[in-house]
Amino acid sequence: MNRSSVERELERLHGESWGWALACAGRDRDLAEEVLQTAYVRILSGAAKPSGRSSFRTWVFGVIRLIALEELRKARRMSRRIDDAPAGFEPADTAAAPDDVAERSERAAVLEAALRRLSERQREILHLVFYHGMTIEEAAGIMKIGIGSARTHYDRGKKALGELLARLDV
Amino acid sequence: MTDAIEREIRAMFDELRAIDAASAPAFGAIVSQGLPQTIPIAAAGRGRRVIWAAVAAGAIIAAAVFALRSGHDTQPAVASTDISQWTAPTDILLDLSRESIAPRDFNTSVLDSFKGN
């Protein structure tokens, strides 16, 4: 694939890539933009190359996920330094502003809150299957786990999410 | 898990997807922020041709200036002299046809004869 056809494919997938970047970034919009930008730069510059073993979408999602993990690790290291900082230093508030929450539908907000209660693997696989319409096999490829593990996380995650939503009486 | 709960989960994810799609940043904006500006290949080619032309012109001008300077060189570096006419300043001391080289009185000097003595 030459660069212009890669760019066309990325543009075609942009909506889905954005949704996945948001999920990987813990719904932090600024971080999601940064992650997506880094992913596009690496893909378009050739720094990230597909192995040819998966579909283009699966590969792009894998790149986004890895970059998000890198960024979150950096943020955690920074957060630990901030915690060690002398008294008086206030860390930035990374939670969504009240205006942002008001803009989203109440049901979407409830879903986000419930997803945050799940483990990372369960949250990821449910997002890939329900949000992006992927199969468990495709999701396992992106998450770099075996299909058996993926299925376990999916079943347990779906059960836990259903119980949380039932408790919230949605 | 009942089908009803699974349907509800799907509906909530569909809603979340629609909200995210509505707030997605433009693809072009994300790409242009991340990648450096590059000039089109055609313009880059034209630029390179102009540079080479300027270098060639400079070389031609330098060669012409050099050729002109070496052809109009009229100032002699050193005035020419006939070597047969040259005499050493101490030549007088070697003029033995008139002076004896026999030992002289130590109180006199061979130069005395040139002082009009």
Side-chain angles (χ1 to χ4, degrees):
Chain A
M1 259 176 138
N2 61 24
R3 187 206 147 119
S4 57
S5 55
V6 169
E7 198 166 330
R8 266 198 309 275
E9 285 299 306
L10 284 177
E11 190 166 8
R12 188 180 62 81
L13 279 174
H14 178 64
E16 284 206 73
S17 299
W18 169 245
W20 179 231
L22 266 177
C24 292
R27 306 299 299 178
D28 182 333
R29 191 192 164 89
D30 289 337
L31 182 58
E33 268 194 48
E34 206 176 303
V35 165
L36 202 54
Q37 190 181 94
T38 305
Y40 286 169
V41 167
R42 285 194 195 171
I43 290 169
L44 289 171
S45 67
K49 287 186 173 64
S51 62
R53 289 196 296 268
S54 56
S55 70
F56 186 77
R57 181 174 76 155
T58 303
W59 171 63
V60 169
F61 274 38
V63 171
I64 290 169
R65 181 175 178 271
L66 279 173
I67 291 167
L69 287 173
E70 285 169 18
E71 293 299 320
L72 286 169
R73 267 186 228 123
K74 271 190 230 169
R76 272 185 224 120
R77 279 199 296 270
M78 187 67 74
S79 169
R80 273 198 291 272
R81 276 191 223 132
I82 289 168
D83 287 342
D84 293 340
F89 183 88
E90 292 293 325
D93 184 7
T94 56
D99 289 343
D100 292 334
V101 173
E103 284 171 10
R104 297 191 220 120
S105 81
E106 194 181 322
R107 285 191 346 149
V110 166
L111 176 63
E112 283 179 44
L115 285 170
R116 275 197 288 273
R117 303 280 294 272
L118 304 179
S119 73
E120 193 178 326
R121 294 278 198 216
Q122 290 170 356
R123 192 166 50 245
E124 279 185 318
I125 196 151
L126 290 179
H127 186 97
L128 288 168
V129 170
F130 284 103
Y131 188 112
H132 294 286
M134 289 192 181
T135 63
I136 292 176
E137 289 77 13
E138 285 174 317
I142 291 167
M143 292 165 64
K144 305 271 190 250
I145 58 176
I147 292 173
S149 298
R151 191 165 290 283
T152 302
H153 291 305
Y154 173 78
D155 290 338
R156 289 181 183 166
K158 198 168 71 167
K159 184 169 180 263
L161 183 61
E163 287 167 1
L164 280 165
L165 294 175
R167 249 189 278 157
L168 293 167
D169 200 22
V170 173
Chain B
M1 169 172 288
T2 65
D3 290 343
I5 292 178
E6 185 154 336
R7 276 200 300 275
E8 184 61 22
I9 289 174
R10 284 191 188 281
M12 291 171 87
F13 269 104
D14 288 345
E15 213 167 298
L16 185 62
R17 186 172 54 245
I19 290 167
D20 291 345
S23 69
F27 175 75
I30 297 273
V31 169
S32 62
Q33 277 164 31
L35 291 173
Q37 293 296 321
T38 54
I39 54 174
I41 290 170
R46 279 200 295 276
R48 280 197 290 273
R49 285 196 289 275
V50 166
I51 289 167
W52 278 113
V55 167
I60 290 168
I61 290 167
V65 167
F66 179 76
L68 282 170
R69 281 194 169 186
S70 57
H72 288 78
D73 191 358
T74 56
Q75 295 292 328
V78 177
S80 60
T81 52
D82 183 1
I83 191 120
S84 63
Q85 302 301 314
W86 181 77
T87 56
T90 54
D91 217 24
I92 197 74
L93 298 175
L94 297 175
D95 191 356
L96 300 177
S97 63
R98 286 185 290 157
E99 294 296 327
S100 164
I101 59 173
R104 286 177 157 262
D105 186 353
F106 287 143
N107 292 322
T108 61
S109 166
V110 295
L111 297 175
D112 288 344
S113 60
F114 303 107
K115 291 179 189 172
N117 294 331

Short mmCIF file of all heavy atoms in Angstrom, two decimals, chain B residues 103-110 112 115 117:
data_model
loop_
_atom_site.label_atom_id
_atom_site.label_comp_id
_atom_site.label_asym_id
_atom_site.label_seq_id
_atom_site.Cartn_x
_atom_site.Cartn_y
_atom_site.Cartn_z
N PRO B 103 101.89 40.55 4.08
CA PRO B 103 101.54 41.06 5.41
C PRO B 103 101.96 42.54 5.54
O PRO B 103 103.00 42.94 5.05
CB PRO B 103 102.35 40.22 6.37
CG PRO B 103 102.78 39.03 5.61
CD PRO B 103 102.80 39.39 4.17
N ARG B 104 101.24 43.28 6.14
CA ARG B 104 101.48 44.69 6.31
C ARG B 104 101.73 44.98 7.77
O ARG B 104 101.54 44.13 8.63
CB ARG B 104 100.25 45.48 5.86
CG ARG B 104 100.08 45.53 4.39
CD ARG B 104 98.80 46.27 4.09
NE ARG B 104 98.86 46.81 2.73
CZ ARG B 104 99.19 48.08 2.46
NH1 ARG B 104 99.43 48.92 3.39
NH2 ARG B 104 99.26 48.46 1.19
N ASP B 105 102.06 46.18 7.93
CA ASP B 105 102.19 46.66 9.31
C ASP B 105 100.84 46.56 9.99
O ASP B 105 99.81 46.98 9.44
CB ASP B 105 102.69 48.11 9.25
CG ASP B 105 103.02 48.65 10.65
OD1 ASP B 105 102.73 47.96 11.65
OD2 ASP B 105 103.52 49.77 10.73
N PHE B 106 100.86 46.03 11.23
CA PHE B 106 99.59 45.86 11.93
C PHE B 106 98.94 47.18 12.28
O PHE B 106 97.76 47.22 12.58
CB PHE B 106 99.78 45.03 13.20
CG PHE B 106 100.02 43.58 12.92
CD1 PHE B 106 100.91 42.82 13.70
CD2 PHE B 106 99.38 42.96 11.83
CE1 PHE B 106 101.13 41.49 13.42
CE2 PHE B 106 99.62 41.63 11.58
CZ PHE B 106 100.49 40.87 12.36
N ASN B 107 99.72 48.19 12.23
CA ASN B 107 99.16 49.49 12.57
C ASN B 107 98.49 50.16 11.38
O ASN B 107 97.97 51.26 11.49
CB ASN B 107 100.25 50.45 13.12
CG ASN B 107 100.74 49.96 14.46
OD1 ASN B 107 99.99 49.47 15.29
ND2 ASN B 107 102.04 50.10 14.69
N THR B 108 98.59 49.49 10.28
CA THR B 108 97.95 50.07 9.10
C THR B 108 96.83 49.15 8.65
O THR B 108 96.70 48.00 9.10
CB THR B 108 98.97 50.24 7.95
OG1 THR B 108 99.46 48.94 7.61
CG2 THR B 108 100.08 51.17 8.33
N SER B 109 96.05 49.66 7.72
CA SER B 109 94.91 48.88 7.23
C SER B 109 94.91 48.90 5.72
O SER B 109 95.36 49.87 5.12
CB SER B 109 93.62 49.49 7.77
OG SER B 109 92.54 48.97 7.08
N VAL B 110 94.42 47.86 5.15
CA VAL B 110 94.35 47.82 3.68
C VAL B 110 93.41 48.90 3.15
O VAL B 110 93.48 49.30 2.01
CB VAL B 110 93.90 46.45 3.16
CG1 VAL B 110 94.92 45.39 3.48
CG2 VAL B 110 92.57 46.08 3.73
N ASP B 112 93.52 51.88 4.14
CA ASP B 112 94.18 53.19 4.20
C ASP B 112 94.36 53.78 2.81
O ASP B 112 94.23 54.99 2.61
CB ASP B 112 95.55 53.10 4.89
CG ASP B 112 95.40 52.90 6.40
OD1 ASP B 112 94.28 53.13 6.91
OD2 ASP B 112 96.36 52.47 7.04
N LYS B 115 91.56 55.81 1.61
CA LYS B 115 91.14 57.01 2.32
C LYS B 115 91.92 58.20 1.84
O LYS B 115 91.90 59.25 2.45
CB LYS B 115 91.39 56.80 3.83
CG LYS B 115 90.47 55.76 4.44
CD LYS B 115 90.79 55.59 5.91
CE LYS B 115 90.02 54.40 6.46
NZ LYS B 115 90.44 54.12 7.82
N ASN B 117 95.21 58.09 1.64
CA ASN B 117 96.50 58.11 2.33
C ASN B 117 97.64 57.68 1.42
O ASN B 117 97.49 56.83 0.57
CB ASN B 117 96.47 57.13 3.51
CG ASN B 117 95.47 57.63 4.54
OD1 ASN B 117 95.26 58.84 4.62
ND2 ASN B 117 94.89 56.71 5.27
#
